[in-house]
Amino acid sequence: MSRQSEGPAATATRKALIKQLLAGCPGLTPETAGAAVVDLTPQARFAARKHLDAHPTALTSGSAEAIASVQKIIGRLIEAGCTDARQPACTQCGRLRFLAHLVPGGRICESCGAAVRYRASVAVCRRCGKTRPCPARGLCQACYYEHEAPKKTCTECGKHAYCQISARDGNRLLCDDCRTRASTTCAFCGRNAPATVNWPRGPACKPCYARRLDEPGLCHRCGRFRALIGNVGGHALCGTCSGHSTDYGCTRCDNPGGAHTPGTCYPCAIDDQLARTLAVIPAEAADQLQQLRSAVADTANGRSALQWLRQSNVRKLFIGLTATGKPISHEALDDAFLAGHHIATGHIRKILVAAGSLPPRDEHLARIELRLGLLVAKYPQFDTILRTYACWSVLPRLRRRARTRRPTEHITEWARARIHSAAHFLSWAEEQGQVLDTVTQEHVDAWLTSGKSTRHNVRDFLVWAARRGYARELLVPHRGKPDPAGLDEDAHWDVLQQCLHDDQLPLDVKVAGALVHLYAQPLSRIVALTSNDIRQHPEDNQLILDRQPVPLPPPLDFLVEQLATERGKKPEPGPTPTWLFRGSYPGRPMPVSTLQRRLNSHGIRAKPSRVTACLNLAQDLPPAVLASITGMHVITAEQWHRRATPDWGAYLAARRQANSARSE
């Protein structure tokens, strides 16, 4: 409103308001005060004057009771450079925003007001029946957008869904999946990305949102274990203590909620999912399934367990296992494996074996037999020859090896690769119009040169077939291997010292890295170590490596003992040994791939480090002892010994040649 159009009463109100501003902010000039109120309506000026009469310090106190017109005046004074004026903060979130809503205790911003109205609408959704906020005509937000929100065709993907005009995409009609979201700086990681939520600490991107909810901590103010989404004075606070509308806690228990389970924690969400999945439990399998339910609910990684249970193939597997009305057995799980449930049956089997509901068995051999069944189903014309080769050549070698040493994933992969190479070679020969007894050396050479180097694995099958009279004598050369590349001596010992003395490394990484650098242990043997492999002696502690005791020098002995005791494992021998490197499944060790990723993430490369360690050991130990400690074959140990020790015969020949040259 301009000064020319205002009446005498409005002019008097404006001048009186300017005097109040000058009195409230002593460093303010009349021109600045006049510019702060010139655009206000007479009604707003009158309301501001009345409020300043009742609260003379409203301009400088930062009180959240300031009305809208006073907040506008404060904002203009701050923009003009007035240092005395102080903008009021929201009483709930603490952010400096325009406070549009009055609640008991002061005014709140528009976002907190929406949150208050949202929580006040909690009721039973008339469509899904769940108790949750229902702001849309008795419907929760999910049901409204899915069933009753006006749907249109997205101009980007063509999906018929709830769409809006997106100004950032050229005013196009786009669904939520296609429209471009505004990017902002994440307050947690600093990346420029679309904000998933605005917390008291600031906007959070999608990965940081999930990480904060899935990795809660202790609130500095209330001491509860919650998602820390606020920061006051350098201290991390939960949602309630930082003025947010929720603390992201479970509505049923006192646990912190998860990123993928709104309103509930992962244990409660897993229990609900199991109740739906195992709705009908036959009496014969009740004990087994209850043990399975308890083991899944008590898992440390609740997010992974919940995502696994939500998979459709897992639900189908549970329905199939419970529909028979019989107890779950290895044979029933094997049938489910052959029916296509490859991964899910392995998970369930591991849990039931660890709980004692199923007897343990050699899963490495059983897995080879199951994979053989799948392969025979794919190539039924080679059923006889493949089963004969596997049952009379591959599996007996695995069984003999299992009597003297523990089976590993590496030996299982070795057997699988040879059986699959045999099947692929037979299939290729059939395409060439040949059968096994008519295959010639030219066919074998063509097979080897037309594919990857892994085709040389067929050598074992062809040698066996020739000895049994199924094929001619065919030559498959051994696959060439490059010379192993290791670390230089200084780098090798530097990494070993880091594994022994760096307190920043995780304990399992320190122990595994030290065993690789000191005793050249493969990761497959490291993950198979149990508490029974630790031997305590008065002089020094020992570690059993494939029945070969080796000394544990300090401080490695302390690290191994600490690894055994920190997770509730006893170093003394017992009837039920526990794994030193425990996996995510009950009663199972850590997978080799997981340990390798953990070592790589801390800059420890196991393969070149083991090469250098093998060379160091081969210089001091005879091949037989080297083979026993490292788990390699004696022939391989002899090759390492020749590689590590100097060739004195060549040295003497060179000396004789040099002496004869000088004599001439």
Side-chain angles (χ1 to χ4, degrees):
M1 182 178 181
S2 63
R3 296 184 182 180
Q4 290 79 6
S5 60
E6 66 181 10
T11 302
T13 302
R14 178 175 55 81
K15 292 181 179 180
L17 181 57
I18 292 175
K19 290 181 180 180
Q20 287 179 313
L21 297 183
L22 295 175
C25 297
L28 198 63
T29 62
E31 292 77 11
T32 304
V37 301
V38 65
D39 292 335
L40 296 180
T41 63
Q43 293 82 0
R45 293 172 187 169
F46 180 79
R49 180 185 173 187
K50 186 176 180 181
H51 184 82
L52 291 176
D53 284 338
H55 307 86
T57 62
L59 299 176
T60 58
S61 64
S63 173
E65 296 181 356
I67 61 175
S69 57
V70 174
Q71 294 181 52
K72 293 179 181 179
I73 293 174
I74 293 175
R76 292 170 182 173
L77 293 180
I78 293 176
E79 292 176 358
C82 179
T83 58
D84 296 330
R86 184 181 175 188
Q87 185 178 357
C90 175
T91 57
Q92 287 197 3
C93 67
R95 288 178 288 182
L96 300 178
R97 287 183 167 187
F98 181 75
L99 309 183
H101 303 282
L102 180 63
V103 297
R107 292 184 175 270
I108 59 176
C109 62
E110 183 63 38
S111 299
C112 293
V116 170
R117 294 192 301 271
Y118 189 74
R119 293 194 302 271
S121 64
V122 173
V124 178
C125 177
R126 58 184 175 86
R127 177 173 285 274
C128 66
K130 296 181 179 179
T131 301
R132 53 177 57 177
C134 301
R137 300 191 297 272
L139 293 175
C140 64
Q141 192 172 13
C143 291
Y144 172 75
Y145 283 115
E146 183 178 356
H147 299 288
E148 296 199 8
K151 294 180 174 57
K152 299 180 181 179
T153 302
C154 176
T155 58
E156 179 69 22
C157 64
K159 182 173 60 177
H160 192 65
Y162 177 73
C163 301
Q164 292 176 311
I165 298 294
S166 176
R168 298 187 184 91
D169 300 285
N171 293 325
R172 298 170 60 194
L173 188 66
L174 299 175
C175 63
D176 289 341
D177 296 333
C178 297
R179 64 185 178 91
T180 302
R181 299 179 181 272
S183 296
T184 184
T185 302
C186 178
F188 296 89
C189 66
R191 294 189 306 114
N192 192 29
T196 300
V197 66
N198 283 313
W199 279 332
R201 182 172 170 178
C205 62
K206 187 175 182 179
C208 291
Y209 168 79
R211 189 178 302 113
R212 283 285 161 173
L213 295 186
D214 289 342
E215 299 176 3
L218 290 177
C219 176
H220 179 75
R221 182 172 296 175
C222 66
R224 294 188 302 167
F225 202 60
R226 286 290 184 269
L228 304 180
I229 61 176
N231 194 319
V232 177
H235 301 296
L237 302 180
C238 66
T240 304
C241 295
S242 57
H244 195 56
S245 57
T246 179
D247 62 352
Y248 292 99
C250 181
T251 56
R252 301 188 208 168
C253 59
D254 196 41
N255 292 328
H260 300 270
T261 56
T264 58
C265 59
Y266 282 123
C268 291
I270 290 174
D271 192 65
D272 292 342
Q273 186 67 36
L274 285 170
R276 291 190 294 269
T277 304
L278 303 177
V280 179
I281 301 179
E284 293 80 359
D287 294 338
Q288 290 180 318
L289 293 177
Q290 288 300 335
Q291 291 175 346
L292 176 66
R293 184 172 181 172
S294 301
V296 175
D298 294 340
T299 183
N301 194 342
R303 177 179 176 181
S304 297
L306 182 62
Q307 291 176 344
W308 176 68
L309 287 173
R310 287 175 173 176
Q311 296 177 8
S312 59
N313 60 334
V314 175
R315 292 196 296 269
K316 292 178 182 178
L317 176 59
F318 275 115
I319 292 174
L321 292 175
T322 56
T324 61
K326 300 179 180 179
I328 301 176
S329 61
H330 283 297
E331 291 73 16
L333 292 175
D334 291 344
D335 293 339
F337 179 90
L338 296 176
H341 300 286
H342 299 162
I343 300 178
T345 52
H347 294 346
I348 295 176
R349 194 192 308 271
K350 293 173 185 176
I351 295 174
L352 292 179
V353 170
S357 299
L358 286 179
R361 69 175 186 178
D362 190 342
E363 288 300 326
H364 296 83
L365 288 175
R367 198 180 312 164
I368 292 297
E369 295 174 353
L370 291 175
R371 293 289 180 182
L372 177 62
L374 294 177
L375 194 63
V376 168
K378 184 178 180 180
Y379 301 104
Q381 66 273 30
F382 308 127
D383 185 341
T384 303
I385 188 67
L386 289 178
R387 289 190 182 276
T388 305
Y389 168 60
C391 296
W392 293 97
S393 178
V394 178
L395 292 178
R397 282 179 282 176
L398 294 184
R399 294 190 180 98
R400 286 195 300 269
R401 186 184 186 278
R403 287 195 292 266
T404 58
R405 60 181 68 180
R406 295 169 183 163
T408 61
E409 294 293 337
H410 171 74
I411 199 63
T412 304
E413 179 60 26
W414 174 88
R416 187 205 66 81
R418 274 141 186 81
I419 297 175
H420 276 253
S421 294
H424 295 160
F425 177 75
L426 292 173
S427 177
W428 178 86
E430 186 182 46
E431 294 175 359
Q432 307 301 316
Q434 304 293 326
V435 293
L436 184 58
D437 57 355
T438 63
V439 172
T440 63
Q441 186 64 44
E442 289 77 10
H443 294 113
V444 175
D445 295 340
W447 156 262
L448 296 176
T449 57
S450 61
K452 299 181 180 180
S453 61
T454 53
R455 290 192 171 188
H456 285 73
N457 292 329
V458 79
R459 181 180 187 276
D460 185 79
F461 170 71
L462 292 180
V463 169
W464 171 85
R467 291 176 179 174
R468 296 297 183 274
Y470 298 126
R472 306 176 184 178
E473 292 287 343
L474 301 171
L475 175 63
V476 178
H478 287 282
R479 183 169 48 177
K481 297 181 180 180
D483 292 337
L487 300 177
D488 60 83
E489 288 293 329
D490 293 338
H492 180 82
W493 294 112
D494 288 343
V495 177
L496 177 58
Q497 292 300 317
Q498 181 187 7
C499 293
L500 295 177
H501 302 289
D502 190 357
D503 294 335
Q504 300 298 324
L505 293 178
L507 184 58
D508 57 347
V509 173
K510 295 174 67 175
V511 173
L515 292 176
V516 170
H517 287 77
L518 193 60
Y519 290 119
Q521 292 301 296
L523 299 185
S524 58
R525 296 185 73 189
I526 293 177
V527 298
L529 293 174
T530 66
S531 58
N532 279 4
D533 294 323
I534 303 175
R535 294 288 188 269
Q536 293 184 342
H537 293 276
E539 298 180 357
D540 58 355
N541 293 340
Q542 294 180 342
L543 187 66
I544 307 300
L545 300 177
D546 195 19
R547 299 181 298 177
Q548 176 69 33
V550 296
L552 291 176
L556 182 57
D557 57 346
F558 173 75
L559 295 177
V560 172
E561 185 176 357
Q562 185 180 2
L563 180 66
T565 56
E566 76 162 0
R567 302 180 183 180
K569 308 162 189 167
K570 295 177 61 178
E572 297 80 6
T576 56
T578 54
W579 305 104
L580 294 183
F581 296 85
R582 185 183 303 172
S584 58
Y585 293 102
R588 299 292 299 177
M590 181 185 297
V592 174
S593 58
T594 302
L595 181 58
Q596 185 171 9
R597 284 195 301 268
R598 289 182 59 80
L599 291 174
N600 292 340
S601 64
H602 292 89
I604 301 174
R605 300 293 182 262
K607 188 173 182 179
S609 302
R610 185 169 182 259
V611 169
T612 305
C614 283
L615 292 174
N616 293 334
L617 291 175
Q619 294 176 1
D620 303 327
L621 300 176
V625 180
L626 177 63
S628 178
I629 291 178
T630 60
M632 62 180 64
H633 197 273
V634 176
I635 297 178
T636 307
E638 290 176 351
Q639 294 174 353
W640 278 104
H641 186 73
R642 288 194 298 268
R643 180 182 177 86
T645 56
D647 188 358
W648 295 109
Y651 171 75
L652 293 176
R655 287 291 303 272
R656 285 195 297 267
Q657 184 178 2
N659 292 334
S660 61
R662 282 197 297 268
S663 62
E664 294 177 357

